[in-house]
Amino acid sequence: MLDMNRRIFLASGTALAAVASLPRSAFSMGHETLRIAIAAETGDLNLLQNVSTLSSYTVVFDGLIHYSKDGTLQPGLATKWTVSDDQLSIAFDLREGVTFSDGTPFDSAAAEWNLKRWMGVPDFSWIGVADAFEGITTDGPNKLTVKLKRPVPAALIELTIVRPVRFLSPKAVDAEGKQTAPIGTGPWIMESFDSSGSVLVRNEKYWGEKPLVSRLELKVVPDELARANGLRAGDLDIIGGDWVATLSPRRARALEAEGMKVVAEPGTATMLVGYSPKSKIIADKAVRDAIFVSIDRAAIAKVLFEGYADPTANLFPASIPQSGSRVEVPARDIAAAKKFLTDGGWSESGGWMKDGTPLTLDFLVSEESLPGSRRIAEMIQGQLSEVGFQVQVSSVDNATMHERRPAFDYDLAFFTTYGAPYDPHGTLGNAFVSTADSGPDGKIYVSDELDVVVKAALDATGAERDRKMQELYDWLRNNTAICPIVVSQRLWAHNPRVENFSLPATDYDLPFQGITLKA
């Protein structure tokens, strides 16, 4: 099961530190120390356990392949890879001269040991390359080949994700093979961690481009206002990132007005309204058609996201590989919505009715799961009411959302795609397949017919894959199975002492590369 419902993870797993701010004395105040806010403690960064904040792994551990901002794959611990014609083996040339931060060499033996900790293991069957794993062969210290039982078209992208695919020193485990310390080959070395934060020092032997600052402090500040105040006061250098410490659009505008630097770039995750497969009203395509054209996406992006979002009618933004042809954002059309209902057998007299059933919908939201979702739901509620829908917004806590969404106990609910580097295969394989164990993430839309279409798309290879993926997107559109709303922008803010700030490849990474600090 994928462990990545956006923002929900930040409210589960390890306990959040109950602090609103942290004293300066708790951390180094040197000019070579970069201080980034995180919403939950990093934990011990166990690569096989879902107990640590995802964004923290990438500063300590490397993967064979790195995901770049444009969606292309770049060399990591592997300098080259070759997929066989039958796609049943992937040969890697490993980077020479690399060591883990404890001095242990990174070579084919260390790589094989790491890969076999999760490949072929049932707990990681949600990763296609793990589920299809057959074996590993090595040829000398720097060549390794992974053999598969069946083709896995997304295998290379899967090898870029946060965990468990990254590499741990073989000496950092106990006699039972359990991880004892977060020792990787990455640009940072974990010096200490507790409930208040983590301290990392630069890995002076890092094989790649080293950070320009020597010390990194990740300060646990669960409350968004406290994070913003910490930035204003100079206690923090950087805040933001959906998978780090969410910065709301409203807060970003306020910080920008106060002289803080706000960085916003197009996002990779789509917010959409999903439909319960158990709802008899939602099962009526005419109702879904009416909902689709009733929503003013541009207004939501402008008003509720303060302009830090892009309205969309597509499941994935264009930055996601194999995201299909583009569909223009529809203008809100109340007349068209009413016509869909009328043509579908609904009568407007005295309120929309069909076969004695009123057009009443339950919209399930949770501020804990998705901050700001209640305001968005209430705006959509108002837009649908102008068409004649009766919409009840049910605002629940995180635990209740975790219970009701997988049980399909709603008519409408918000969902967010997983974003880069997990998409398109991550969202498609979990949120649209009835047999996949999505846990509390639930399903955006499922049906027996859709299961077949998704499987055909995800199993296809070569040029056939593009065609099958497009057929899948066409199926979703033709059946009005999804209702995309916006792609929220990647939002970060930093104080004036930070120079040369740039966003990392994904929001599962922390920003530090190239950053310098003013004296």
Side-chain angles (χ1 to χ4, degrees), residues 201-323:
V201 295
R202 182 170 58 202
N203 182 359
E204 300 297 347
K205 295 182 180 180
Y206 182 52
W207 59 267
E209 182 182 350
K210 296 180 182 64
L212 298 180
V213 293
S214 60
R215 189 176 179 89
L216 176 65
E217 292 175 354
L218 307 179
K219 304 174 71 169
V220 177
V221 189
D223 181 71
E224 188 201 19
L225 176 58
R227 294 195 292 269
N229 287 338
L231 192 70
R232 294 180 177 108
D235 296 329
L236 295 167
D237 296 313
I238 298 172
I239 65 173
D242 276 353
W243 280 101
V244 182
T246 304
L247 175 62
S248 68
R250 181 177 292 182
R251 193 82 62 196
R253 287 295 180 203
L255 289 170
E256 190 173 42
E258 296 167 19
M260 298 295 111
K261 176 63 176 177
V262 172
V263 179
E265 293 186 5
T268 64
T270 304
M271 181 182 186
L272 62 158
V273 174
Y275 302 125
S276 169
K278 287 188 177 180
S279 169
K280 293 182 179 179
I281 294 178
I282 289 299
D284 189 337
K285 183 176 180 294
V287 172
R288 302 197 301 274
D289 287 336
I291 292 172
F292 191 87
V293 298
S294 296
I295 297 175
D296 190 337
R297 294 160 176 81
I300 292 173
K302 181 179 179 180
V303 176
L304 299 185
F305 285 85
E306 302 283 343
Y308 290 128
D310 302 298
T312 187
N314 298 285
L315 178 58
F316 301 116
S319 58
I320 295 295
Q322 296 180 318
S323 55

Side-chain angles (χ1 to χ4, degrees), residues 115-157:
L115 294 172
K116 285 184 175 178
R117 296 180 75 221
W118 58 275
M119 282 187 166
V121 178
D123 284 352
F124 300 102
S125 61
W126 54 270
I127 307 175
V129 73
D131 193 47
F133 176 69
E134 184 173 82
I136 290 176
T137 61
T138 61
D139 182 13
N142 300 108
K143 291 187 181 294
L144 176 146
T145 300
V146 174
K147 296 188 177 295
L148 305 173
K149 298 174 184 176
R150 59 181 180 278
V152 180
L156 296 177
I157 295 181

Side-chain angles (χ1 to χ4, degrees), residues 427-451:
T427 297
L428 292 174
N430 285 269
F432 291 97
V433 176
S434 63
T435 56
D437 180 5
S438 327
D441 290 0
K443 305 292 183 183
I444 296 174
Y445 190 92
V446 291
S447 75
D448 292 343
E449 182 182 350
L450 179 57
D451 281 347

Side-chain angles (χ1 to χ4, degrees), residues 493-516:
H494 62 81
N495 65 32
R497 87 176 191 126
V498 173
E499 297 184 310
N500 305 312
F501 179 93
S502 64
L503 293 190
T506 78
D507 274 339
Y508 298 94
D509 302 295
L510 287 172
F512 61 83
Q513 204 66 51
I515 288 177
T516 57

